[in-house]
C-alpha cells in the first residue's frame, strides 16, 4: 500500500507541479502568523475572520498552516468579544488539499509514529460556530477542512472534491465519514472513488453547503450570517452547536436527552422568554 501510494503521489505531483516542483514550502513557525491572516470583523467586531493565505500553493494545508489555524481558532474561542468565526481562502482556492510536497516524503513509520494529521481534530473542540466561506477549489483536505466547520457557504464557482484516490490514497481527515453524512452514501462513494469535482450548485442540492451566492458576494454573505449569529446569546449558541454535533456522535435517545437537558438549562438564565422580550 505504501509503495503504491507513494508512487501514485509522485506520478500526480508531476502534473500538479508542471515540472517546476512544488516550490512554496511552508514558512510558518512560532510567533506571528505566516500562512493565515486574522482579524476581527463586523459592526461590533464580534466575528473572528481567518483567511488561509498561501496563494502560491493554492492554500494547500501544510503542517505550519494547520498549527497557526488551531492557535487562531483557540484565541477567538477564548475571546469574550467574539461569538462566531468565518474561515475563508482566496477567490481561486479555499484550499487545494493537503500540501502534497510536504506529504510526499513521509513514510508509514513517520505518519504512524507522529500520528500525522491528528492535530486537525483540534478545531472540533472550538465551541463557537465556524462558517466556511468557500470560493474556488476545496479539494481533498480542503474539502475536509470545510466539512469540519459548522456551516458551509459557497461562491458560485466553488468546486469540491476528494481526489485522494488519484494519488493512490484515501481521504484521511474525515472525508470518508463526513461526506456520506452530508451528501449520502452514493454520491460520497462516487466522489471518493473517482476524485471527480462537484460544482457549488451540486454541493448545495446534495446538502454539503447551505447557500450558494455569487463569488464576489461570498465574504459579505458569510460575514452577515456570522453577525446574525453573534446577536444571539453565547450560551444558547454553545448549546445549539453542542446539541447538533451530538446528532453525529450519539444514538438518538442520547442526543435527545442532551438536547432536553440543555433546553432545561437555558431556563436557568435570563432568556428572552423569561424577560418576555419579543424575538422579532
Ligand atoms: N499541495 C501543494 N501544492 C499545490 C497543491 C497541493 N495540494 N495544489 C496546487 N499546488 C501548487 C502547484 O504545485 C502550483 O505551484 P507551482 O506554481 O510552484 O508549480 C500552484 O499551487 C498552482 O497550481 P497549478 O499550477 O496546478 O494551478 P491550476 O489552476 O492549473 O490547477 C488544481 C489547480 C486543479 C487545484 C491543481 O493544482 C491540482 O490538481 N492540485 C492538487 C489537488 C489535489 O490533489 N489535492 C488533494 C491533495 S491530497 C489531500 O488533501 C489528502 C488529505 C488527507 C489529509 C492529509 C492532511 C495533510
Amino acid at each position: 500500500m505504501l509503495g503504491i501510494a507513494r508512487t501514485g503521489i509522485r506520478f500526480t505531483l508531476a502534473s500538479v507541479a508542471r515540472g517546476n516542483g512544488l516550490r512554496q514550502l511552508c514558512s510558518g513557525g512560532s510567533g506571528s502568523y505566516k500562512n493565515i491572516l486574522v482579524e476581527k470583523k463586523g459592526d461590533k467586531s464580534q466575528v473572528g475572520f481567518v483567511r488561509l493565505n498561501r496563494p502560491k500553493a493554492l492554500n494547500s494545508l501544510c503542517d505550519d498552516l494547520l498549527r497557526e489555524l488551531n492557535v487562531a481558532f483557540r484565541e477567538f474561542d477564548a475571546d469574550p468579544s467574539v461569538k462566531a468565526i468565518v474561515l475563508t481562502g482566496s477567490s481561486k482556492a479555499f484550499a487545494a488539499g493537503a500540501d502534497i510536497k510536504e506529504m510526499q516524503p513521509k513514510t508509514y513509520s513517520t505518519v504512524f509514529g507522529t500520528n500525522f494529521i491528528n492535530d486537525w481534530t483540534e478545531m472540533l473542540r472550538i465551541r463557537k460556530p465556524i462558517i466556511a466561506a468557500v470560493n474556488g477549489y476545496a479539494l481533498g483536505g480542503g474539502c475536509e477542512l470545510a466539512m469540519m466547520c459548522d456551516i458551509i457557504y459557497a461562491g458560485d464557482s466553488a468546486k469540491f472534491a476528494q481526489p485522494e484516490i488519484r494519488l493512490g490514497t484515501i481521504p484521511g481527515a474525515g472525508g470518508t465519514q463526513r461526506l456520506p453524512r452530508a451528501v449520502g452514501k452514493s454520491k460520497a462513494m462516487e466522489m471518493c472513488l473517482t476524485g471527480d469535482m462537484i460544482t457549488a450548485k451540486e454541493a448545495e442540492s446534495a446538502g454539503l453547503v447551505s447557500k450558494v451566492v455569487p463569488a464576489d458576494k461570498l465574504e459579505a454573505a458569510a460575514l452577515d450570517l456570522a453577525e446574525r449569529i453573534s446577536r444571539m446569546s453565547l450560551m444558547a449558541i454553545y448549546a445549539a452547536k453542542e446539541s447538533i454535533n451530538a446528532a453525529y456522535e450519539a444514538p438518538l435517545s442520547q442526543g435527545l436527552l442532551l438536547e432536553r437537558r440543555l433546553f432545561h438549562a437555558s431556563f436557568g438564565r435570563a432568556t428572552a422568554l423569561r424577560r418576555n422580550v419579543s424575538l422579532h
Side-chain angles (χ1 to χ4, degrees), residues 66-122:
L66 256 297
R67 267 192 289 276
E68 292 180 5
L69 200 54
N70 283 332
V71 173
F73 283 158
R74 274 200 305 271
E75 286 185 355
F76 281 140
D77 214 28
D79 182 338
S81 70
V82 169
K83 292 169 93 175
I85 299 167
V86 171
L87 174 65
T88 195
S90 68
S91 57
K92 177 150 189 195
F94 177 73
D99 188 314
I100 296 172
K101 166 85 175 175
E102 198 177 65
M103 270 194 311
Q104 188 188 16
K106 291 190 193 295
T107 62
Y108 170 72
S109 60
T110 314
V111 294
F112 185 65
T114 60
N115 205 1
F116 176 53
I117 74 171
N118 190 50
D119 50 0
W120 282 51
T121 56
E122 273 191 35

Side-chain angles (χ1 to χ4, degrees), residues 4-52:
I4 294 167
R6 293 187 69 196
T7 307
I9 287 170
R10 285 208 177 97
F11 176 76
T12 309
L13 258 180
S15 57
V16 173
R18 300 253 163 76
N20 275 333
L22 293 161
R23 287 189 299 270
Q24 180 167 356
L25 295 173
C26 271
S27 52
S30 58
S32 61
Y33 299 124
K34 294 188 174 148
N35 301 285
I36 59 175
L37 300 172
V38 174
E39 60 186 309
K40 286 195 215 174
K41 286 197 178 197
D43 282 348
K44 295 181 184 165
S45 297
Q46 286 183 306
V47 179
F49 194 90
V50 183
R51 185 187 301 284
L52 304 176

Side-chain angles (χ1 to χ4, degrees), residues 77 83-86 126-131 149-151 226 229 234 237-238 241:
D77 214 28
K83 292 169 93 175
I85 299 167
V86 171
I126 302 301
R127 298 181 75 198
K128 292 171 185 169
I130 305 175
I131 300 155
C149 297
D150 301 301
I151 298 172
I229 292 170
L234 187 57
I237 291 172
Y238 285 154
K241 174 166 170 170

